[in-house]
Amino acid sequence: KQEVTQIPAALSVPEGENLVLNCSFTDSAIYNLQWFRQDPGKGLTSLLLIQSSQREQTSGRLNASLDKSSGRSTLYIAASQPGDSATYLCAVEGNTPLVFGKGTRLSVIA
Amino acid sequence: DAGVTQSPTHLIKTRGQHVTLRCSPISGHKSVSWYQQVLGQGPQFIFQYYEKEERGRGNFPDRFSARQFPNYSSELNVNALLLGDSALYLCASSLGDSSNEKLFFGSGTQLSVL
C-alpha cells in the first residue's frame, strides 16, 4: 500500500528566504508525482507534475525534483513571498489513483 | 472559461440523513474524480468516472455512490450520514483517464454532519 509522508508538517519563514519542502513515498512503482497548493478551505491548484521518467520540473520560482529509486521528492521555492503562504501537498499516481500526503503548512512572514 | 464548479459550497446535515453533492467539470473534460479531505489530512480518493463508467473506487463503504451524466457532470451521494463523514468533498476533472493527466480541482463542498 502506497504511503506518502511530508516533512515538515508546518514551516514559518521570513519573506525572501529560499526553502525546501520534502515528500517521501514507499512504493517506487509510480507513473508520476505531483505538487499541489491549497489555500484554507479551498480546492487544490496543480503546481508541478513530474513523470516517472523525469528528474525535475520548473515553473517560475518553483522547482520540483524526483528521485524515484529512493522514493523522494523535493519542492524548492525561491525568494519566498507572503502570497506563497498555503498548504503544499505532494501526491503520487501509480497502479492506484492519486495518494496524497498530509501536506506542509507554509507561512511566509513579511 | 469556467473551472470545475461544485455545489453547494457548504452543507449541514444530521446523522442518518442523505446528501447529494454535484460537480460540473471543465468544458471538454470527460473524467471526474471525487476526493474526501478530513481536516488536517490529505485528500483521499473516493471514485473516478470516465465516459459515464466507473473507472476506480477507493476504500469507502457502500453508503457512498456516484454517477456521471451524459454531459459529464457528476453527483456524489452519501446515505446514512455519520459524524465521521464531515469533511471537504473535492471534485476534480481531467481530459481523459490515462496516467499523467493534469487534474483540475473545484473549491469543494464543506459537509458538516451534526
Side-chain angles (χ1 to χ4, degrees), chain B residues 65-79:
Chain B
S65 64
R67 54 180 176 169
Q68 186 177 34
F69 298 98
N71 66 354
Y72 303 110
S73 66
S74 177
E75 284 183 354
L76 175 70
N77 295 283
V78 187
N79 292 324

Side-chain angles (χ1 to χ4, degrees), chain A residues 24-25 28 66-73:
Chain A
S24 62
F25 48 95
S28 61
L66 173 64
D67 184 342
K68 200 173 77 162
S69 61
S70 68
R72 297 186 182 193
S73 175

Side-chain angles (χ1 to χ4, degrees), chain A residues 5 8 10 13 16 28 30 32 41 53 55 59 62 67 76-77 83 90 95 99 107 110:
Chain A
T5 302
V13 300
S28 61
I30 64 170
N32 63 67
S53 59
R55 297 283 293 185
S59 176
L62 306 180
D67 184 342
Y76 175 82
I77 302 177
C90 165
N95 291 326
V99 177
S107 297

Side-chain angles (χ1 to χ4, degrees), chain B residues 7-70:
Chain B
S7 62
T9 56
H10 296 83
L11 201 52
I12 299 175
K13 293 285 189 178
T14 57
R15 282 178 297 174
Q17 285 189 312
H18 162 91
V19 69
T20 298
L21 310 181
R22 296 178 174 83
C23 172
S24 293
I26 290 173
S27 178
H29 286 194
K30 298 182 178 180
S31 177
V32 170
S33 300
W34 288 94
Y35 291 80
Q36 180 197 65
Q37 186 177 25
V38 174
L39 191 64
Q41 304 291 316
Q44 191 171 358
F45 172 75
I46 310 175
F47 285 109
Q48 183 194 11
Y49 276 78
Y50 175 71
E51 291 279 18
K52 302 181 292 293
E53 291 188 1
E54 182 181 303
R55 290 301 184 98
R57 182 185 182 116
N59 188 25
F60 280 81
D62 291 343
R63 298 184 296 106
F64 289 76
S65 64
R67 54 180 176 169
Q68 186 177 34
F69 298 98

Side-chain angles (χ1 to χ4, degrees), chain A residues 4-11 20-24 35 73-74 88 90 102-104:
Chain A
V4 179
T5 302
Q6 291 188 245
I7 295 173
L11 181 64
V20 174
L21 307 182
N22 296 292
C23 171
S24 62
W35 284 92
S73 175
T74 60
Y88 291 81
C90 165
K102 293 182 180 181
T104 294

